Every structure is written in structure tokens, then in C-alpha cells.
Amino acid sequence: MLAEARWPEDGDGAPPGVPGFVYSAFHPLVAAVADRCLGRRYAGGALPAGNRTAVLLVSASGDTAGAAHVRETVAAGGRVGPLFFFQSVPNSVAGHVAARWGLDGPVVCLSPTGDPRAEGEAEADLLRHDGDAAQALLILIELAPDGTPGEATAVLLGEGTRQ
């Protein structure tokens, strides 16, 4: 493990918003915990090209708040805003994190049936051992049952020394 972060940590409120993502706390929570984790390893910001860092987003339930909003809007005969089509795919926020940090490895989203961390670490190991990635940012997230920010953990897995 090269770095780890959680949201919330002491003193945290709601995670800051993310441009292009609306309504749900899912996407800001993913971005905040990823930024915190990567910032602990790479204080200088974006990684250099060729870093082969994968992003693995693991969530059993995904963006339940966004899904509920879309379901309620459609049931009421309303019009769903175009941003919801973009953000309804968890890869969109994982791609946002990858672009912001210059991560150029694969982006993978998993919905685990067992232990989320174990399944995410197994996928990270597979990507690293197959040569698809040198390291992996593993993000584990679940919203609270009421759709408010829940908890997220980000772990940077790989080999090497701190930079």
C-alpha cells in the first residue's frame, strides 16, 4: 500500500462539489477521497505520462441517490436532465479522477458480491500482474441509506518508494 485516505476524516463536512455532476453525493465523495489519497502520495499534483495507474471503483449499490431521483422524475412524468445520463455510469466519475490526476491505466468499476475490499484488491492484483497497470487506485464507496454522503476509502496499491 502506497497511500490511503478516508472520507470523512476528522473535521470533514460534505465533500466539495464536482463540476458536471449534480444532485448526488456519490460523485463528490469519490473525487474527494481519491484526491486525498493521491495527494498524500503525489503532493505535486498530476502524475507524469506513462504512470500506468488504474482506477478501480468498487460499490455494491452505486449512486442510489441519483438513481432514485431519476426514477422519481420519470414516474412523475418529468424530464430528466442530460447530466444524469452522463453521471449514471460510475465510470464517468472514475474517468474524471483519472483525467484530473493524469492516470493513464485502465478504469474498472465493480459491484462486489462478497467483501468489497478483497474483490477490489484481487482485481488490482490482476491488472498489475498482467501488466495492464503498475499501480491501482482502489476506491471503495457506499452512500448512506438516506442518500447523503456515506463513507469512502481510497487506497493506492503498487510497488515502489514514496515520491
Side-chain angles (χ1 to χ4, degrees):
M1 181 171 53
L2 303 173
E4 184 170 7
R6 289 181 172 67
W7 196 286
E9 290 181 357
D10 289 341
D12 286 339
V18 179
F21 295 91
V22 296
Y23 190 79
S24 173
F26 183 86
H27 308 92
L29 189 54
V30 168
V33 77
D35 287 351
R36 180 174 280 168
C37 181
L38 291 167
R40 288 179 177 165
R41 173 76 177 169
Y42 301 102
L47 281 68
N51 60 74
R52 297 184 320 119
T53 302
V55 179
L56 293 152
L57 180 61
V58 179
S59 180
S61 55
D63 180 11
T64 53
H69 174 74
V70 169
R71 187 172 41 255
E72 292 163 6
T73 301
V74 170
R79 183 172 180 255
V80 177
L83 286 178
F84 281 100
F85 294 100
F86 167 73
Q87 77 179 35
S88 68
V89 180
N91 284 27
S92 60
V93 73
H96 171 83
V97 168
R100 179 165 28 195
W101 282 89
L103 309 180
D104 54 15
V107 173
V108 178
C109 293
L110 300 174
S111 181
T113 57
D115 179 322
R117 186 158 181 158
E119 290 187 28
E121 287 177 353
E123 183 69 22
D125 286 346
L126 179 65
L127 290 171
R128 288 181 20 241
H129 292 297
D130 280 352
D132 294 325
Q135 58 187 14
L137 176 64
L138 172 60
I139 303 167
L140 306 153
I141 176 173
E142 295 301 333
L143 291 181
D146 63 0
T148 59
E151 296 181 351
T153 300
V155 182
L156 185 61
L157 303 168
E159 299 174 6
T161 58
R162 286 191 172 270
Q163 296 181 4

